[in-house]
Amino acid sequence: MSLSMTQRRNTIREFKENLGLLGLTTADLAKYFDVDERYINDIIELRSGVLEDPWIIRNYLLRKAGERGVELKPFTALVGDHHDYWFLDGVMIDAGELQ
């Protein structure tokens, strides 16, 4: 499945705004996930080529927001339960690890 240009633009903006709301950087995410920061940037810019990666980052941000009591800007394209999308690997997303 692919996103429209508007959805892509909004999702990229939402990732960046939510990182800011949580006081996190791409370097923080890279350290947490033990991956290169460039890969985090590719995910946030929706260039990683792995559909599950943005969902993994999204779920991490939602979890952090819950822990910190921070209200995030809602994601407009990455919504609902990832298990409801037949084209996503729910097991991979649930594991919460980037490849």
Side-chain angles (χ1 to χ4, degrees):
M1 291 290 162
S2 63
L3 300 176
S4 70
M5 288 304 293
T6 300
Q7 289 173 314
R8 288 182 62 80
R9 203 171 28 250
N10 289 343
T11 301
I12 292 166
R13 186 187 73 248
E14 291 156 2
F15 268 126
K16 291 176 181 180
E17 288 178 7
N18 287 329
L19 280 172
L21 289 170
L22 289 167
L24 295 172
T25 65
T26 54
D28 295 327
L29 293 179
K31 183 177 179 181
Y32 175 82
F33 287 104
D34 194 27
V35 297
D36 189 274
E37 187 176 357
R38 286 174 291 190
Y39 190 56
I40 296 295
N41 283 313
D42 284 345
I43 294 169
I44 289 172
E45 295 285 335
L46 305 177
R47 294 186 306 247
S48 76
V50 179
L51 291 177
E52 291 77 9
D53 285 349
W55 285 88
I56 292 169
I57 298 291
R58 169 208 179 252
N59 290 349
Y60 174 78
L61 296 178
L62 292 175
R63 188 171 57 254
K64 282 295 178 192
E67 291 170 2
R68 297 178 181 184
V70 173
E71 187 173 336
L72 296 182
K73 177 166 181 65
F75 286 95
T76 54
L78 303 174
V79 296
D81 184 341
H82 57 270
H83 296 105
D84 294 336
Y85 296 95
W86 63 267
F87 53 88
L88 293 174
D89 182 342
V91 173
M92 180 180 172
I93 296 169
D94 290 341
E97 298 176 6
L98 298 174
Q99 307 280 312

